[in-house]
Amino acid sequence: MTPSIPHCPGEGSKGAEFTTTLGNLLRGQKLAVENVAALRLRVAKEPEASGLEVECRRRASDGERWWFVQDGIWMCEADSPVNAVVLVKAALGADADG
């Protein structure tokens, strides 16, 4: 069995889907979202504001499932993007009712 390599073509397609879904949900919350890479987003309250980056990666300790990661901290499983929205908004200090 070949170990998964997150940056191989095709390998990140599911991760890219999760990343796209998260980006769309965050845009729906009126946050500024920039696609940095297929598996990475930059999120801020406003386009010119400082923000944070969220990456979608496989987590070896969870059976290679896809997770969202922010600043090296595992946030939540990528198949729970609404949880990631709550965590990103909290990290940004955004109004929870936004």
Side-chain angles (χ1 to χ4, degrees), residues 3-88:
S4 65
I5 303 171
H7 302 294
C8 283
E11 172 63 24
S13 62
K14 188 65 176 173
E17 289 177 31
F18 288 133
T19 304
T20 298
T21 298
L22 178 59
N24 289 338
L25 288 171
L26 291 167
R27 286 181 188 96
Q29 296 292 311
K30 303 198 183 326
L31 295 171
V33 180
E34 175 187 354
N35 291 50
V36 177
L39 302 176
R40 185 180 292 237
L41 302 172
R42 181 183 175 283
V43 186
K45 287 184 182 181
E46 300 172 358
E48 300 302 318
S50 63
L52 54 87
E53 288 192 3
V54 177
E55 184 177 9
C56 191
R57 288 194 277 176
R58 290 189 177 271
R59 187 171 183 174
S61 65
D62 190 26
E64 295 297 324
R65 293 182 63 187
W66 289 99
W67 277 63
F68 289 118
V69 180
Q70 190 249 321
D71 287 337
I73 298 170
W74 299 101
M75 295 170 53
C76 65
E77 294 170 352
D79 59 1
S80 300
V82 174
N83 291 343
V85 169
V86 171
L87 294 168
V88 167

